[in-house]
Amino acid sequence: MKTRWNEAGGFADDVAAMRRYARSLTRDRDDADDVVQDALVRAIERQATYQQGRDRRRWLLAIVHNVFISGTRREAAEARRNDRFAETQVAHSEAPQELHARLAEIARSFAALPDHHRAVLHLTAIEGLSYQECADVLGVPTGTIMSRIARARAALRQQEEQRPERALRIVGGRNDGHAE
């Protein structure tokens, strides 16, 4: 395949086509660049499977497509895991309905955190470990624990700020003595 990279319709044109296709799939420039990078790594790793008579651009675009589909499936599986995790966190609570719903939202936000953020928050906030004990468990410096906790809390705050406010309203019945 190395000899084909420099043939007519050069490799730069192929990468440009890969980027255009990835942007079409992801609808985001940064995500598209990640897909293209992963696709190029796969192409290099699997260059022995490239058939010399085959159109190189179509081969590369197929790899872009497969990388995108794999990522989408991985994200969907992670979302399902996060939802199941959040459900198990709330399922055992005896809270009133409104509090139960709020706990479910918090659990979903917690489940959506990256693994390393979720780990430090769980170990410190739920298990009650000190920062040093948490660092010992995870095998990282205490400063790393502190920064991960700060970033995790910031991510939770940001999720909370982005949550749409749900105002309750009375439907039917009476409000201040007036029928609705």
Side-chain angles (χ1 to χ4, degrees):
M1 182 161 88
K2 289 180 183 177
T3 59
R4 303 230 352 128
W5 292 123
N6 295 322
E7 291 181 7
F11 183 64
D13 293 337
D14 290 343
V15 171
M18 292 170 73
R19 291 184 81 197
R20 284 191 303 272
Y21 184 47
R23 283 185 186 165
S24 174
L25 293 172
T26 63
R27 298 178 308 272
D28 180 84
R29 182 189 345 223
D30 294 334
D31 290 345
D33 287 344
D34 290 342
V35 167
V36 170
Q37 181 178 357
D38 290 346
L40 287 170
V41 168
R42 281 192 189 177
I44 291 168
E45 290 172 348
R46 297 183 179 132
Q47 62 184 316
T49 65
Y50 175 72
Q51 300 164 355
Q52 287 296 325
R54 189 173 181 195
D55 183 293
R56 181 183 65 223
R57 183 172 295 178
R58 276 190 266 162
W59 181 68
L60 291 169
L61 292 175
I63 294 172
V64 166
H65 181 80
N66 291 337
V67 165
F68 173 75
I69 295 299
S70 294
T72 302
R73 287 180 182 154
R74 187 172 38 256
E75 288 171 3
E78 184 174 341
R80 285 190 304 273
R81 279 192 309 273
N82 288 347
D83 287 345
R84 283 192 306 268
F85 174 73
E87 288 170 12
T88 62
Q89 296 297 308
V90 176
H92 303 295
S93 78
E94 298 290 328
Q97 186 174 2
E98 296 85 13
L99 185 54
H100 195 274
R102 181 68 182 122
L103 287 173
E105 289 175 355
I106 292 168
R108 277 191 295 278
S109 294
F110 179 76
L113 290 172
D115 293 342
H116 58 282
H117 289 166
R118 215 171 39 251
V120 296
L121 276 183
H122 180 89
L123 291 173
T124 57
I126 297 170
E127 300 302 328
L129 272 59
S130 69
Y131 288 2
Q132 183 58 55
E133 291 167 331
C134 184
D136 293 342
V137 168
L138 299 177
V140 297
T142 306
T144 300
I145 298 300
M146 293 167 61
S147 71
R148 286 181 184 175
I149 287 174
R151 287 188 184 111
R153 288 176 178 162
L156 289 174
R157 274 192 301 275
Q158 183 179 13
Q159 288 178 23
E160 178 67 21
E161 290 169 0
Q162 292 174 348
R163 189 174 66 89
E165 291 300 321
R166 295 185 189 102
L168 296 176
R169 63 183 185 95
I170 297 175
V171 178
R174 295 185 172 270
N175 185 11
D176 294 327
H178 298 91
E180 296 222 4

